[in-house]
Amino acid sequence: MLVSAKEMLTKAKAGKYAVGQFNINNLEWTKSILLTAEELKSPVILGVSEGAGKYMCGYKTVVGMVNGMLEELGITVPVALHLDHGSYEGAKACIEAGFSSIMFDGSHYPIEENVAKTKELVAVCNEKGMSIEAEVGSIGGEEDGVVGAGECADPDECKMIADLGVTMLAAGIGNIHGKYPENWAGLSFETLDAVQKLTGDMPLVLHGGTGIPEDMIKKAISLGVSKINVNTECQLSFAEATRKYIEAGKDQEGKGFDPRKLLAPGADAIRATVKEKMELFGSVGKA
């Protein structure tokens, strides 16, 4: 069954490793991530953006698919189903649909409104035993059509949000979604350290895990990052493997591509990517 992310992230913070959040977009992605987590005995968070939720016919469809897979595949590791960069309305919809975790991204609101909306959602999540992630400081790049420049969060504002009782906090430290440009300045560890000192045991979240050098990932974990989001790298590996399969022309005797065979190389590529990240984050064997 689906679980809140609270226990897995509390353990990660104490153990100086990070749990991976891997976004899902269809059945193949979900199956690949779950099988890899089970193989490596790693806890995992399945992220769902609002755009992906709509693509997969709605949040109730996603919940049904994931719960079915947990049973049919015999998954025993802790799995959280998490709304990624959710709006206020999206967060409430996922709560009703049966998600076990949500992210309310109120970073674009004035801090007072961010606090008010986050406080309300914290109360609902506590009542239902769900985990909740909040964000301070916009994450750069593009996420479902929303473009940000990659701000550094105000540590005092981070403490203000953390004190509301959220489970985890995403603090902008110069990270971005998507590919990092060549002139990227890198992560602001000064900001991360300041946030960590003010928020204490609060698990911190690093968005935009694709393209961040391994040494920066490890340093971020040492400074309190307990959850790292990966999406673009899975998209790239899936697309490249599928492209190669199509270009190889491996159809069924002129009948056209079998969709199950067409998507298999991409699914295998995602498994390899997820395995690599779980090993880097140190979550293998932590279920």
Side-chain angles (χ1 to χ4, degrees), residues 50-72:
E50 293 198 9
K54 291 175 183 176
Y55 173 76
M56 291 185 280
C57 300
Y59 301 126
K60 289 182 180 179
T61 301
V62 176
V63 171
M65 176 182 71
V66 173
N67 278 329
M69 284 194 191
L70 294 180
E71 180 179 350
E72 297 286 355

Side-chain angles (χ1 to χ4, degrees), residues 202-226:
M202 172 73 60
L204 301 178
V205 181
L206 183 63
H207 286 246
T210 298
I212 299 177
E214 289 190 8
D215 59 335
M216 287 190 183
I217 291 285
K218 291 178 179 178
K219 186 171 182 179
I221 293 172
S222 75
L223 291 173
V225 166
S226 309

Side-chain angles (χ1 to χ4, degrees), residues 13 16 191-200 202 204 223-224:
K13 177 91 173 187
K16 296 289 186 182
T191 301
L192 180 56
D193 189 38
V195 171
Q196 153 82 3
K197 287 176 179 176
L198 288 177
T199 57
M202 172 73 60
L204 301 178
L223 291 173

Side-chain angles (χ1 to χ4, degrees), residues 159-202:
K159 179 172 173 31
M160 192 184 305
I161 295 292
D163 286 347
L164 297 176
V166 298
T167 314
M168 49 193 144
L169 181 69
I173 55 172
N175 43 321
I176 68 173
H177 294 116
K179 284 188 173 182
Y180 284 79
E182 291 184 5
N183 62 347
W184 179 55
L187 299 179
S188 172
F189 292 111
E190 181 179 354
T191 301
L192 180 56
D193 189 38
V195 171
Q196 153 82 3
K197 287 176 179 176
L198 288 177
T199 57
D201 293 333
M202 172 73 60

Side-chain angles (χ1 to χ4, degrees), residues 237-238 241-242 244-245 260-271:
S237 63
F238 183 86
T242 305
K244 288 181 177 178
Y245 181 85
R260 290 166 292 185
K261 292 182 179 180
L262 173 63
L263 296 175
D268 289 341
I270 286 180
R271 289 198 67 173

